[in-house]
Amino acid sequence: MVPIFFYVACAVAAAGVALLLLPHGRGKRVGASVLGLAGLAWILVEIVGSVAPNAGELQPLGIVLLCGIVSIASAVRVITHHRPVFCALYFVLVVVSSAAIFVLLAAEFIAFALIIVYAGAILITYLFVLMLAQQSPAEIGSEDAVDYDRIPREPASAVMAGFVLIAVIGGSVFTVHDSSGTAALEQARSVRQGWRDLSLMPSLLLEQARRTDSTVTAMVRRPDGLFVTPQADHSAIVSVERTGKASPSDLTLPPSLLPDNTTRVGIALVTRFPVSLELAGVILLMAMLGAVVLARKQTDLAEDERRSIAGLSKLMDDPTPGASR
Amino acid sequence: MNDALASGFTIASNAQLSVALMISALLFTIGLVGFLCRRNMIIMFLCTELMFQGAALAMVAFARMHMDVSGQVFVIFILTVAAAEAALALALVVLLYRRRETLSAEVWSQLGES
């Protein structure tokens, strides 16, 4: 089935964005915003209609839709606003509203890391540079911004290219196969992976085992070399030593003791991707050095000045006492 | 039994994932359109951050779909690259602005004449 309505919705949204990009008066801008929002809502309705949600999922879905509309509307504002500082502030709104979606997608750490790094650090850097490179208000004129902020470059073709991309990506939603059969398998694999991650962190595992049974003193390896044997019902069996008992005995850990989302990210970072983590540090260091080198004021010094900065005497004139003798 | 699991281990709702992926695609596209249209160099780089945001949303949605955290770890690396890119790009913009006293990207369309 070809999702004709979805493509029409894409075209409506594209027309709205294209009209918003062109510089004109307030009345036309309101009309273009309404057109763009209607297209956006239509796209989302088509997507939701294609998957037919249950009644139980409607409430979280509503929050995702709301945050999505806010973030996309402010993203459009980022690319259409004539004042760069407002663009940066609207970008903060994009980051915050997509952080809400991240929280609903069980990525709490990513959500707050994005807010801190994007809204807190990167955006402040952008604002600093905007202030540094701003032309004075007298040049700009009291009301409107400079030309290169007001008049876009080839808006029609850019919007067309962009929304053809959207139509292709979004159209794939209507052709995907139902994956509900594999979801349970995938969940079992994920739970096993969770227990195995915990097994790589023996002290964390001991802490979790103590929550079940406070007499536990130490963990003992299972015959297969790991500390944990996952079970089919998402629980797991561990071997533990208890106070006052000579030989190790078995203990069943309930699924509620699986690591939470943030802990899983941390364990994955240090056990599965340690080299990438180090490389990320190297990239940041290089970027810092590069920025320092680039942003330094470049001045040409004469040879004598360079020598005097380095603490050496001048080359030619002003001979040393030893030479005059 | 499912109630006892942490939220990352439960099976995600298909509708939520589809909507999140659509939003990520829209964010990416809007960033792309902005990068092509805007003529202010700083805003052009801001639009690349918008594209990063869309990519990060797609990563997290797929990580949720497969109940695996590798996608979230990848977002941390995207964040690193975005921070590095912002630092270098803004240093370059400051450098270019000192030369020509304007932020317009079109002044630099001919690289031959310094």
Side-chain angles (χ1 to χ4, degrees):
Chain A
M1 184 194 92
V2 181
I4 298 288
F5 285 121
F6 176 74
Y7 294 152
V8 175
C10 285
V12 171
V17 173
L19 286 178
L20 273 174
L21 275 168
L22 296 171
H24 40 51
R26 182 167 292 273
K28 277 186 187 162
R29 189 170 301 156
V30 171
S33 316
V34 170
L35 192 61
L37 275 177
L40 171 61
W42 195 1
I43 287 179
L44 291 176
V45 163
E46 286 288 319
I47 292 291
V48 171
S50 75
V51 283
N54 315 325
E57 356 177 289
L58 281 182
Q59 195 221 350
L61 186 64
I63 302 175
V64 171
L65 282 173
L66 191 68
C67 297
I69 288 174
V70 170
S71 82
I72 290 169
S74 41
V76 170
R77 217 64 195 101
V78 170
I79 66 167
T80 55
H81 208 287
H82 291 167
R83 302 235 170 213
V85 176
F86 283 90
C87 294
L89 293 180
Y90 274 113
F91 186 73
V92 175
L93 194 54
V94 174
V95 172
V96 170
S97 53
S98 46
I101 302 178
F102 285 135
V103 170
L104 287 171
L105 291 175
E108 295 91 358
F109 176 75
I110 303 297
F112 290 100
L114 277 181
I115 289 188
I116 292 169
V117 175
Y118 263 116
I122 296 183
L123 253 292
I124 296 300
T125 320
Y126 272 99
L127 283 177
F128 268 135
V129 173
L130 278 175
M131 306 287 174
L132 267 179
Q134 196 84 298
Q135 272 146 0
S136 65
E139 285 175 46
I140 298 171
S142 56
E143 193 46 53
D144 222 345
V146 276
D147 268 357
Y148 59 78
D149 274 332
R150 212 154 40 82
I151 302 162
R153 175 178 54 200
E154 307 269 345
S157 49
V159 168
M160 205 185 294
F163 278 79
V164 166
L165 182 66
I166 273 291
V168 172
I169 296 175
S172 67
V173 169
F174 297 90
T175 56
V176 288
H177 303 289
D178 189 17
S179 64
S180 54
T182 57
L185 283 179
E186 203 128 35
Q187 184 183 30
R189 185 195 57 76
S190 160
V191 168
R192 270 202 310 281
Q193 179 72 45
W195 285 120
R196 208 165 296 142
D197 281 350
L198 209 52
S199 170
L200 292 170
M201 301 267 142
S203 60
L204 192 62
L205 187 59
L206 181 61
E207 216 172 90
Q208 299 287 66
R210 283 226 179 94
R211 275 191 210 163
T212 327
D213 184 350
S214 55
T215 61
V216 172
T217 55
M219 310 299 301
V220 183
R221 279 184 194 281
R222 310 277 302 169
D224 59 354
L226 294 171
F227 284 99
V228 183
T229 309
Q231 299 297 301
D233 63 344
H234 298 165
S235 64
I237 297 177
V238 291
S239 295
V240 292
E241 285 178 359
R242 295 187 164 91
T243 45
K245 282 190 188 165
S247 60
S249 52
D250 283 2
L251 175 70
T252 303
L253 297 182
S256 60
L257 290 182
L258 275 167
D260 58 24
N261 305 326
T262 309
T263 315
R264 284 173 79 198
V265 174
I267 293 176
L269 265 180
V270 294
T271 60
R272 281 196 267 166
F273 307 100
V275 179
S276 318
L277 191 62
E278 301 290 337
L279 282 179
V282 173
I283 288 175
L284 281 177
L285 179 67
M286 287 299 126
M288 190 181 79
L289 293 178
V292 169
V293 170
L294 281 178
R296 198 180 44 182
K297 201 152 216 162
Q298 316 221 326
T299 47
D300 289 329
L301 292 181
E303 181 71 15
D304 284 347
E305 290 168 355
R306 225 178 284 165
R307 285 179 68 87
S308 73
I309 289 171
L312 301 171
S313 61
K314 286 184 181 176
L315 272 180
M316 285 306 194
D317 45 6
D318 188 26
T320 54
S324 68
R325 209 174 288 159
Chain B
M1 188 58 80
N2 258 354
D3 307 31
L5 285 171
S7 60
F9 290 108
T10 53
I11 296 174
S13 101
N14 255 339
Q16 201 177 354
L17 288 178
S18 305
V19 170
L21 285 173
M22 194 69 230
I23 291 167
S24 85
L26 279 167
L27 276 181
F28 185 89
T29 309
I30 291 170
L32 184 69
V33 169
F35 189 80
L36 293 174
C37 286
R38 294 302 296 253
R39 293 157 64 196
N40 186 330
M41 280 189 284
I42 297 178
I43 304 300
M44 284 169 75
F45 283 114
L46 202 61
C47 289
T48 63
E49 306 287 334
L50 216 52
M51 285 152 78
F52 276 128
Q53 193 76 27
L57 190 51
M59 293 280 172
V60 169
F62 280 121
R64 180 80 187 87
M65 182 186 277
H66 296 291
M67 290 164 268
D68 192 332
V69 287
S70 307
Q72 297 188 27
V73 172
F74 206 93
V75 174
I76 296 179
F77 297 134
I78 290 181
L79 205 59
T80 314
V81 172
E85 177 250 317
L88 287 179
L90 291 176
L92 274 175
V93 167
V94 171
L95 210 63
L96 295 179
Y97 178 75
R98 274 198 206 133
R99 281 261 179 111
R100 292 283 174 90
E101 296 290 313
T102 174
L103 283 173
S104 172
E106 265 140 31
V107 198
W108 297 97
S109 53
Q110 284 159 339
L111 288 174
E113 30 115 38
S114 64

